Amino acid sequence: MLLTWGLAYVVSTFGTRLLARWQKRDSVKELIVRLLSIITWVFGLLLTAIILFPGLTPAKALGGLGLVSIAVGLAFKDIFENFFAGILILWRFPFERGDYIECEGLVGKVERVMVRMSYIRETNGELTVVPNSFLFKNPVTVLTNKASRRVMITTGVAYDVDIKEAVQVIETAVKSCHTLTDDKPVQVFPKAFGSSSIDIEIAWWTESTPLGVRRSTGEVITALKAALDKAGIEIPFPYRTLTFKEALPLKQIDS
């Protein structure tokens, strides 16, 4: 058992150093080291059992291990489901430690992907431990898969405003912001006839992290408000027009 522990430690330590130069994803290299450690422990335990029980042959040990694995697999189905899901996540999934992901309303930074569970640091600072089967079975959006992503907001201008002029003012204001990605276009299009305004959709590209999106959105909204006010373009409040079937009698009351 001591030799097995020492060999597993050596495999884990030197395996990590040897694979550090390999041009592969970090999750793949980490998975290989973990699987080698598990294999080392399995064979070490089998050899220990054979030495402690002289009548136990390798064939009997492997047969007994098979029966035990079936019983354990049935008893701990969820644990093994998470285990194999973790292996597939480490091997094939396109997110790494440090990426921001979104899954079923959970948004956060991947701090660690283990064989059975993953640690997700939410944007509010809380740590959520997620079973790997949850990430494997549900759609996962990798927010930081690319360095930048598109952000969209909608603003409105009054019906008596020249739409072409408003679009030009908005586009110039957005392009003046510093948090935009330079190699991506700014898109400004009139979208719909709103209840009290012409709705205009604005899209731009910025840093893909949640903090980067919030920072850029705040800068764009501030720039839009200043530019529209300077150009004298109204951002209208909701209007209500009341129509009566009959004329209303008016009466002046002396103060």
Side-chain angles (χ1 to χ4, degrees):
M1 288 293 295
L2 290 176
L3 290 175
T4 301
W5 175 83
L7 183 59
Y9 178 79
V10 170
V11 168
S12 177
T13 302
F14 288 94
T16 303
R17 295 179 181 177
L18 290 175
L19 294 176
R21 301 179 181 178
W22 192 27
Q23 299 299 325
K24 285 289 185 179
R25 295 169 52 203
D26 292 338
S27 60
V28 175
K29 293 185 284 188
E30 186 176 355
L31 175 61
I32 292 174
V33 173
R34 291 181 182 179
L35 290 179
L36 289 176
S37 298
I38 292 173
I39 293 173
T40 302
W41 274 106
V42 170
F43 279 99
L45 293 175
L46 286 176
L47 291 176
T48 302
I50 292 173
I51 293 173
L52 291 177
F53 305 99
L56 184 64
T57 63
K60 293 180 180 179
L62 291 175
L65 180 63
L67 294 176
V68 172
S69 63
I70 294 175
V72 173
L74 293 175
F76 300 97
K77 176 184 176 182
D78 293 337
I79 295 178
F80 281 94
E81 182 181 20
N82 291 321
F83 173 79
F84 288 110
I87 292 178
L88 293 175
I89 287 174
L90 289 169
W91 184 257
R92 297 295 300 173
F93 265 41
F95 61 81
E96 294 282 352
R97 184 183 304 152
D99 279 331
Y100 283 89
I101 64 172
E102 180 178 359
C103 181
E104 295 294 313
L106 176 65
V107 180
K109 182 179 181 180
V110 180
E111 287 199 345
R112 190 177 182 185
V113 180
M114 302 181 66
V115 176
R116 196 178 68 84
M117 64 189 68
S118 298
Y119 292 172
I120 309 297
R121 180 72 63 179
E122 297 188 46
T123 52
N124 58 7
E126 297 178 352
L127 179 65
T128 301
V129 181
V130 182
N132 286 331
S133 60
F134 174 80
L135 298 176
F136 186 75
K137 293 179 179 179
N138 295 297
V140 177
T141 302
V142 185
L143 303 178
T144 52
N145 181 255
K146 299 292 186 180
S148 61
R149 61 185 170 117
R150 190 177 66 174
V151 183
M152 299 175 61
I153 62 172
T154 301
T155 186
V157 298
Y159 273 94
D160 58 353
V161 171
D162 186 348
I163 300 300
K164 292 184 178 180
E165 179 186 357
V167 168
Q168 184 62 40
V169 171
I170 291 173
E171 186 172 353
T172 303
V174 175
K175 288 182 177 179
S176 66
C177 297
H178 302 289
T179 55
L180 273 65
T181 303
D182 296 332
D183 59 343
K184 299 288 186 178
V186 174
Q187 298 173 334
V188 182
F189 296 107
K191 181 181 179 181
F193 294 96
S195 59
S196 58
S197 65
I198 297 292
D199 296 334
I200 299 178
E201 187 178 69
I202 308 159
W204 72 95
W205 294 76
T206 186
E207 182 187 349
S208 58
T209 63
L211 178 59
V213 171
R214 292 174 59 194
R215 183 186 293 114
S216 183
T217 302
E219 184 186 17
V220 168
I221 291 176
T222 302
L224 284 177
K225 180 65 169 58
L228 293 175
D229 288 346
K230 183 178 180 180
I233 298 176
E234 179 187 3
I235 303 176
F237 293 98
Y239 292 123
R240 296 292 182 269
T241 301
L242 304 179
T243 303
F244 299 92
K245 293 183 177 180
E246 299 178 357
L248 296 179
L250 302 179
K251 181 180 180 181
Q252 183 176 357
I253 300 177
D254 296 334
S255 58

